[in-house]
């Protein structure tokens, strides 16, 4: 038995996936055109799809057994109603499901669920003419999951939340996971899990590479070794549904994602593998008194209201001894002064910052000018008490390759194949070889020049001086910063006005 066979089934074809995706997108457009937000539309589709799948699976009788009887709060109860009674029944189902405190993954999908389809004719069309005529479970978990994931990507890309969140491209997630080689014994954590992409990427990797796991190993991994934190309840619901429909979690296991501010307190446990893409932007949390929130944690080396700095510090605290981490950061983390320099020096001193992947602009939907990188670091046992722990920083620059656009020219797996090969997953870093796009910098040169800047490119001399991006990339970045700043100013003003009204 493989890890994959223990959790997933796969029936159908690429044509079936396209069919499911188009149906879901058509339903989404139907709701979106009626005034629902992108999140509200996807949430309603998620509730209906999960209810329908639950009903289909309950009617799949084992030999010698009768199908489960319909429940008063299940899918069948919806198909027997019309007009206003249908709206009332759907509202009651969501209220009943949202009040459950079982802590399971399927109930986490319905946490806080509300009916945003008050139009009886529209709801009736969704239930009877669209969802009920399809036998969804026959496609299997993988095809359903892939179709749902594509729905999330194509619809969430059309919006931008005020939290500075960007949809992480799946090829980038897969490349990061591939080079870090997760194992079934790893404890996995993403403190800013968004739509669950990294947790799903690890699941897919294990499904391909782990063979003959024991039932105890699977149970331990499913229930205790994966966790994500997400500040936005709606995102947590969709992330859980994404994992559930992919078969990465089962309906009755503990919910893998906790709705909370991961920065509010020290981690209650460490993780051997930390993978995260924290939200970008300089928006600080606003406290109940209307002042900017400062996370004064004892495990942080400095106090800051900048959430990017705090998420990096949190990832450092979250990483276990002999653990490894990959954090997507805006480029300012690599070279800015002040609090971030203090954190950067602490990172280089206590951790082995062995690799930096410089990402091109144009790979994040709705944020084409954002310049970002991935920092890879390990935490070694320091028995000799020697610092810094970093010795060589290998930098791979993906920026000179080609221009990207998330819609017309998106990042794909081929663009990252050379990086994966150069990284050498599973191999000793002493076997790495410099190339045109990949070279190392000695830690002593980095620490002695330019405020321990990590804004390094393979084309530089070993001087730590870094290099400027192309003028059009700089202009895009400035425009994006201005757009974010204006949006955050509007949010702050609205928050203060609400405080005054109270």
């Amino acid at each position: 038995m493989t890890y994959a066979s223990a959790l997933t089934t796969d029936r159908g074809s690429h044509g079936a996936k396209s069919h499911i995706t188009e149906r879901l997108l058509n339903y989404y457009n139907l709701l979106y055109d009626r005034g629902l937000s992108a999140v509200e539309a996807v949430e309603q589709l998620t509730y209906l799809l999960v209810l329908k799948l639950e009903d289909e699976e309950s009617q799949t009788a084992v030999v010698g057994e009768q199908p489960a009887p319909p429940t008063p709060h299940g899918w069948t109860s919806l198909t027997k109603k019309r007009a206003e009674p249908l709206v009332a029944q759907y509202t009651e189902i969501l209220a009943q499901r949202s009040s459950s405190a079982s802590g399971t993954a399927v109930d986490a999908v319905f946490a806080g669920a509300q009916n945003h389809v008050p139009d009886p004719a529209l709801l009736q069309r969704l239930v009877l003419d669209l969802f009920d005529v399809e036998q969804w479970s026959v496609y299997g978990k993988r095809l359903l999951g892939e179709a749902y994931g594509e729905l999330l990507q194509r619809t969430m890309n059309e919006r931008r939340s005020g939290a500075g969140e960007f949809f992480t491209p799946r090829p980038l997630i897969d490349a990061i996971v591939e080079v870090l080689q997760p194992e079934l014994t790893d404890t996995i954590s993403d403190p800013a899990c968004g739509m669950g992409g990294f947790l799903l990427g690890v699941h897919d990797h294990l499904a391909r590479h782990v063979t003959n796991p024991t039932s105890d190993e699977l149970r331990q991994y499913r229930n205790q070794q994966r966790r994500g934190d997400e500040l936005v309840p709606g995102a947590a619901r969709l992330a859980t549904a994404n994992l559930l429909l992919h078969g990465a979690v089962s309906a009755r296991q503990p919910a893998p994602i906790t709705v909370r501010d991961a920065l509010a307190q020290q981690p209650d446990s460490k993780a051997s593998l930390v993978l995260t893409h924290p939200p970008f932007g300089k928006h600080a949390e606003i406290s109940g008194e209307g002042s900017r929130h400062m996370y004064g944690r004892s495990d942080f080396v400095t106090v800051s209201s900048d959430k990017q700095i705090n998420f990096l510090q949190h990832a450092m605290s979250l990483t276990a001894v002999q653990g490894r981490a990959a954090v997507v950061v805006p480029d300012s983390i690599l070279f800015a002064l002040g609090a971030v320099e203090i954190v950067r020096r602490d990172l280089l001193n206590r951790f082995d910052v062995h690799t930096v992947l410089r990402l091109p602009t144009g790979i994040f939907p709705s944020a084409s000018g954002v310049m970002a990188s991935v920092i890879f670091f390990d935490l070694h046992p320091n028995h000799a008490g020697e610092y810094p722990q970093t010795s060589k920083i290998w930098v791979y620059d993906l920026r000179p390759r080609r221009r990207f656009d998330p819609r017309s020219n998106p990042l794909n797996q081929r663009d990252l194949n050379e990086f994966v090969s150069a990284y050498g997953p599973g191999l000793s870093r002493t076997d790495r070889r410099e190339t045109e796009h990949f070279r190392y910098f000695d830690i002593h040169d980095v620490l002695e020049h330019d405020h321990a800047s990590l804004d390094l490119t393979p084309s530089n001399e070993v001087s730590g001086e870094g290099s400027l991006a192309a003028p059009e990339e700089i202009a895009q970045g400035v425009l994006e910063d201005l757009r974010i700043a204006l949006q955050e100013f509007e949010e702050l003003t609205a928050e203060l006005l609400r405080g005054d009204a109270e």
Side-chain angles (χ1 to χ4, degrees):
M1 178 177 66
T2 66
Y3 174 86
S5 64
L7 288 183
T8 64
T9 56
D10 189 6
R11 303 174 187 172
S13 63
H14 176 74
K17 174 193 165 185
S18 298
H19 166 73
I20 303 169
T21 301
E22 290 308 312
R23 284 188 72 86
L24 290 175
L25 285 170
N26 287 339
Y27 306 170
Y28 165 83
N29 289 328
L30 185 64
L31 291 170
Y32 191 76
D33 290 344
R34 295 294 186 93
L36 275 69
S37 70
V39 171
E40 289 171 343
V42 174
E43 282 180 339
Q44 300 306 306
L45 296 181
T46 302
Y47 302 148
L48 292 169
L49 179 57
V50 172
L51 288 170
K52 182 64 163 65
L53 285 170
E54 284 181 334
D55 180 72
E56 291 180 11
E57 291 169 1
S58 70
Q59 299 306 309
T60 304
V62 178
V63 175
E65 296 183 1
Q66 294 296 320
T71 67
H73 295 98
W75 179 261
T76 304
S77 70
L78 287 176
T79 63
K80 295 178 179 179
K81 305 287 185 181
R82 301 292 186 275
E84 292 293 349
L86 172 60
V87 174
Q89 179 66 12
Y90 180 55
T91 302
E92 181 180 345
I93 288 175
L94 294 187
Q96 189 270 340
R97 295 298 297 266
S98 68
S99 64
S100 174
S102 68
T104 62
V106 69
D107 284 333
V109 172
F110 291 94
Q114 295 182 355
N115 177 17
H116 290 289
V117 192
D119 181 351
L122 176 57
L123 183 59
Q124 184 171 315
R125 181 179 177 190
L126 283 169
V127 172
L128 299 179
D129 299 340
L130 298 177
F131 273 102
D132 200 51
V133 299
E134 187 85 61
Q135 188 75 9
W136 296 86
S137 58
V138 299
Y139 295 108
K141 293 285 189 183
R142 184 165 296 277
L143 282 178
L144 278 175
E146 289 178 355
Y148 185 78
E150 190 163 338
L151 170 73
L152 289 179
Q153 183 167 348
R154 290 170 66 175
T155 56
M156 294 300 105
N157 285 353
E158 300 302 321
R159 63 181 287 274
R160 168 75 190 282
S161 80
E165 298 165 339
F166 304 126
F167 204 104
T168 312
R170 187 56 193 265
L172 177 59
I173 290 174
D174 289 342
I176 292 172
V177 170
E178 184 174 355
V179 299
L180 291 179
Q181 298 282 291
E183 299 178 356
L184 198 59
T185 54
D186 273 316
T187 51
I188 318 295
S189 182
D190 182 350
C193 68
M195 296 296 154
F198 277 115
L199 298 180
L200 183 57
V202 171
H203 164 77
D204 288 346
H205 177 87
L206 294 176
R208 292 192 303 270
H209 295 285
V210 174
T211 58
N212 300 318
T214 68
S215 58
D216 287 342
E217 287 174 331
L218 284 173
R219 188 180 306 108
Q220 173 81 8
Y221 179 76
R222 288 171 174 171
N223 296 337
Q224 300 181 30
Q225 291 175 217
R226 294 176 299 178
R227 58 184 182 271
D229 294 317
E230 174 53 46
L231 181 64
V232 182
R237 288 194 292 269
L238 297 183
T240 303
N242 197 21
L243 295 168
L244 186 65
L245 292 172
H246 274 88
V249 299
S250 57
R252 300 303 169 191
Q253 76 175 73
I257 298 169
T258 302
V259 179
R260 64 179 176 183
D261 181 358
L263 301 178
Q265 60 186 16
Q266 296 186 29
D268 49 15
S269 60
K270 306 280 188 176
S272 63
L273 186 58
V274 177
L275 303 168
T276 191
H277 179 178
F280 288 178
K282 300 184 181 301
H283 178 59
E285 296 298 325
I286 306 297
S287 71
E289 293 75 28
S291 60
R292 288 183 177 270
H293 190 83
M294 306 285 281
Y295 293 99
R297 284 171 36 175
S298 61
D299 57 328
F300 282 6
V301 70
T302 188
V303 175
S304 174
S305 62
D306 190 322
K307 63 185 175 185
Q308 300 156 67
I309 297 174
N310 290 327
F311 263 112
L312 179 55
Q313 292 190 91
H314 182 73
M316 293 160 64
S317 292
L318 189 57
T319 305
V321 175
Q322 295 185 324
R324 54 221 192 273
V327 183
V328 184
V329 298
D331 270 11
S332 59
I333 291 291
L334 303 181
F335 59 78
L337 308 182
V340 69
E341 181 185 348
I342 296 173
V343 174
R344 194 165 58 241
R345 288 186 180 275
D346 185 59
L347 176 67
L348 292 167
N349 198 42
R350 294 193 296 115
F351 293 79
D352 180 7
V353 184
H354 53 82
T355 309
V356 174
L357 169 61
R358 294 170 60 89
L359 300 173
T361 59
I363 67 171
F364 298 118
S366 304
S368 59
V370 169
M371 301 184 70
S373 297
V374 186
I375 301 177
F376 296 83
F377 55 89
D378 300 343
L379 180 59
H380 302 307
N382 186 27
H383 299 299
E386 296 176 354
Y387 294 100
Q389 289 289 290
T390 303
S391 58
K392 292 180 179 179
I393 304 170
W394 288 82
V395 179
Y396 188 94
D397 195 356
L398 191 59
R399 293 175 185 175
R401 298 310 183 83
R402 65 181 176 91
R403 297 190 182 280
F404 294 90
D405 180 88
R407 294 175 181 82
S408 62
N409 193 21
L411 184 75
N412 59 55
Q413 183 180 353
R414 293 188 304 274
D415 297 310
L416 290 156
N417 283 343
E418 186 179 303
F419 163 70
V420 172
S421 178
Y423 186 105
L427 302 177
S428 170
R429 286 194 285 275
T430 59
D431 295 329
R432 288 178 171 179
R433 296 292 179 265
E434 291 186 320
T435 68
E436 178 185 359
H437 301 286
F438 192 50
R439 67 167 298 181
Y440 71 85
F441 297 81
D442 185 270
I443 184 59
H444 297 293
D445 293 320
V446 172
L447 292 176
E448 290 174 3
H449 296 279
D450 289 339
H451 310 283
S453 173
L454 295 178
D455 189 26
L456 310 166
T457 67
S459 60
N460 286 353
E461 295 297 325
V462 187
S463 63
E465 292 181 357
S467 65
L468 293 175
E472 61 271 20
E473 291 183 349
I474 295 174
Q476 286 180 329
V478 170
L479 287 173
E480 178 63 18
D481 285 343
L482 290 172
R483 190 175 71 82
I484 292 172
L486 178 59
Q487 179 174 310
E488 291 167 356
F489 178 77
E490 292 171 347
E491 292 168 355
L492 177 58
T493 300
E495 185 72 26
L496 294 173
L497 289 174
R498 281 195 295 271
D500 291 340
E502 294 171 359

